Structures are given as C-alpha cells and as structure tokens.
Amino acid sequence: MPVASSPHTTNSPVDERIQEEAALWFARLRGDEVSDSEHADFAAWLSADARHRSEYDAFQRMWDASAELRPTKPRRRQVLRTLSGLAGITLISGWVSLGWLDGQMATDSGELRHVTLADGSILDVAPETRLWVKFDTERRRIELDKGRIVVAVASDRSRPFEVATDAGVIRDIGTRFEVDVDEVRTRVSVAEGMVEIDLPSSNTPPHRVGAGEMTEFNARNISNARPVDTTALAWATGQLLFDAAPLAAVVEELNRYRKTPIKLSDPPLESIRISGVFLIDDENMALQALQQVAGVEFVTKSGKVEIRQKLEQQN
C-alpha cells in the first residue's frame, strides 16, 4: 500500500499509517461505484480513532478549498479512476531569503523553491525556471526568462511590482498571481487582487485581469480573460489537484516536477480519468498509487518510467 503524505506535519510511524489510510479512503469515496459495505467500513474506520477523522477532514478541507476557488458551472463528473492524496514527486524545496537587490535564480529538474524576497514578498519557483530579481529604490522587478512562478506581493505603494517576460510586462495591482512562460506564450492566473498586462511592442492597450481570471498573451496579442483553473496554482503549496483529469494530463503535470519522467506507452490509457490530491514528497509513491487505482504497471526503460496497461488485463 503506498504511503501518503498529509497536510499535517508528523514523523510518527503511527500517524503516517493514519495519513495513508485517510488518503486512500478519500480517493475511494470519490469514485463512481462505492458499495454499501465500503461505506460501512469507512464509518467504522472513522469512528475508531479521533485522529482518523482529523486526518480525513484535513484532506477534505484541502479539496473543498480548491473547489471554492473554481468557478461554479455544471460539470460531468464521470470519474473512471480515483487517485488519493499520495505524494508523487521528489522535490528539493526550502526557504531562501534574497537579501540583495539583484539576484539570479535557476531551478533544476525536480527542484522547487519557496523564497522570501527582500521586500517580504513570497515567491514560489517551479522546476526548470530561470529568473532575475532586480529591486531598486523605485521599483521591484522580476525578469522571468522561462518557467513558472507564483508571487504573493508585499504592499509597497512607493515601488510598483512587476514581472517581465519577453512578450510583455505584468504589473501587480493586487496580491497573488501566477506567471507561466513557455516558448509560445505567457499565461497569467490571478488568485487574489488584480494585475495589468502591457505589451511594449504592440498597440494593444494595457489589459487588466482580476481575481479568479486567467489569460494568455504573446508579444502581439492578449486573449480574453476566462475563469481560472485554480488547481494550477496548488503546486505552490505543495499540492497537485486533479478533478476527473485524463491520465495523459496527469502524467504531463507530474513530469514537470519529477527527475525521472513518466512515459505513457499505451495510448488507450491516456483517457483514463483521475481525481484526487497529490502531495509533493516522493517520486515512487505516485507510481505506486497509479498502479493501485488505475490498473497500470511500470517498466524502467532508457532512463524513463514507462506506464502501460497490466499484462493480465491485456489478455
């Protein structure tokens, strides 16, 4: 049985076992088919120890918090497979204080950083990200060359805060937002407050994006704002959330944080639906979880972990 992490911090073997059981129950009860006997078993497990309810409620609160941030709309929830809150990624994370006014930062594959900037702003840096921090007496500026960050901006009316990419500049008018840069576009997702996007090389007027909205832009155009998928920001708090996501999308997201990438070698598996909470901790646990709930197996080949349908299911 794969080991689960929890929103609570503990080193006790007994507590780790309870966290594991709570995560697995959380996943199991979100499936389409839960028998009466399973409901009875869950009720018995829940009442057996006050810590059981505490750990289960912790997973539930985390899931509910994500749901509250997502825009309300009718959705088809046919979850073919459920995935518990099992740690799936090995990350190097830590607190770093940038006390200087100018600094370069680069993260490697599988490296996540949680940074306190000199002004008190909080910066979460995803793997394979490169940026420069440039603060002076008039402005606070991050130049994002590639990768993904979430910024919680400290208030300082005398010095605007901006994130610059090759395509444009995002100016903070609020408190917390994500910027994700690739070779084609820059994506901005606003969790709190508001940002303004300016494209210096275009005649496009500055574009404002408010809380709960996201947009994408290149050097010439800014797309219309649309509701943000706030599960995309969960990585900054050590979580990856999936709500009936195709396995292909789950694997793609996991690979952003893994040192050893996963390869889907069986195309029919790509559409299997996965729901649940991944807590960032250990690479092997994601593989164990997927193997348990999605009916797949793993083969290490050419430096990659291939995921494919179990042989007994193919026959």
Side-chain angles (χ1 to χ4, degrees):
M1 183 178 290
V3 178
S5 294
S6 160
H8 300 157
T9 301
T10 177
N11 293 321
S12 166
V14 175
D15 287 342
E16 288 179 359
R17 175 180 57 79
I18 293 173
Q19 293 164 13
E20 175 185 344
E21 293 172 354
L24 292 174
W25 274 119
F26 181 81
R28 193 176 305 168
L29 295 178
R30 296 192 71 83
D32 285 340
E33 299 178 3
V34 183
S35 67
D36 291 340
S37 63
E38 285 180 311
H39 280 295
D41 289 343
F42 171 68
W45 175 84
L46 204 62
S47 61
D49 190 319
R51 293 173 298 176
H52 293 180
R53 180 174 292 278
S54 177
E55 289 296 336
Y56 186 85
D57 287 348
F59 282 105
Q60 187 65 60
R61 287 193 301 271
M62 186 165 53
W63 184 263
D64 291 345
S66 171
E68 289 173 3
L69 291 173
R70 292 195 296 267
T72 302
K73 61 180 181 179
R75 292 180 299 172
R76 181 173 63 91
R77 299 182 55 85
Q78 295 182 345
V79 182
L80 303 182
R81 293 288 189 266
T82 58
L83 187 58
S84 62
L86 302 176
I89 312 112
T90 294
L91 295 183
I92 303 169
S93 61
W95 289 89
V96 181
S97 178
L98 297 184
W100 56 84
L101 298 182
D102 293 89
Q104 181 180 3
M105 181 183 297
T107 53
D108 294 327
S109 174
E111 181 182 9
L112 178 70
R113 291 200 182 180
H114 186 72
V115 179
T116 302
L117 298 178
D119 68 331
S121 296
I122 303 299
L123 177 65
D124 288 283
V125 186
E128 298 184 341
T129 296
R130 184 168 63 241
L131 60 87
W132 287 262
V133 178
K134 298 186 176 181
F135 284 11
D136 57 31
T137 58
E138 297 182 353
R139 67 176 180 176
R140 298 169 291 168
R141 181 182 177 95
I142 292 177
E143 296 181 357
L144 182 59
D145 183 49
K146 68 172 185 175
R148 189 179 191 184
I149 63 173
V150 171
V151 188
V153 180
S155 178
D156 185 346
R157 294 184 178 180
S158 66
R159 291 190 300 168
F161 194 105
E162 61 186 28
V163 177
T165 73
D166 287 343
V169 178
I170 304 102
R171 296 186 180 89
D172 172 68
I173 313 177
T175 54
R176 188 167 185 264
F177 59 96
E178 178 193 57
V179 183
D180 188 350
V181 175
D182 62 24
E183 296 178 354
V184 177
R185 57 93 182 109
T186 297
R187 185 184 69 200
V188 179
S189 303
V190 182
E192 302 173 25
M194 183 176 292
V195 301
E196 182 178 82
I197 301 171
D198 186 20
L199 306 183
S201 61
S202 170
N203 294 326
T204 304
H207 187 89
R208 291 193 171 189
V209 183
E213 295 181 330
M214 67 173 293
T215 189
E216 296 180 350
F217 65 90
N218 55 33
R220 297 177 300 279
N221 299 297
I222 304 174
S223 68
N224 293 328
R226 61 184 186 274
V228 67
D229 178 5
T230 53
T231 62
L233 278 67
W235 66 267
T237 58
Q239 307 162 21
L240 292 177
L241 308 181
F242 300 104
D243 187 9
L247 180 57
V250 173
V251 168
E252 181 180 3
E253 186 67 9
L254 286 175
N255 280 342
R256 298 185 72 157
Y257 302 91
R258 292 178 58 88
K259 290 184 176 296
T260 306
I262 302 171
K263 179 183 178 182
L264 263 173
S265 56
D266 194 347
L269 293 178
E270 295 179 357
S271 60
I272 290 178
R273 297 284 170 168
I274 302 295
S275 287
V277 184
F278 280 83
L279 300 181
I280 296 170
D281 189 16
D282 186 282
E283 281 196 356
N284 293 328
M285 293 177 184
L287 306 184
Q288 295 171 13
L290 287 171
Q291 184 168 304
Q292 180 176 355
V293 301
V296 296
E297 63 180 6
F298 300 92
V299 177
T300 302
K301 187 177 181 181
S302 301
K304 293 185 177 181
V305 177
E306 291 192 6
I307 179 173
R308 64 189 187 190
Q309 191 172 10
K310 285 185 178 180
L311 294 176
E312 58 265 28
Q313 294 184 0
Q314 296 176 10
N315 298 327

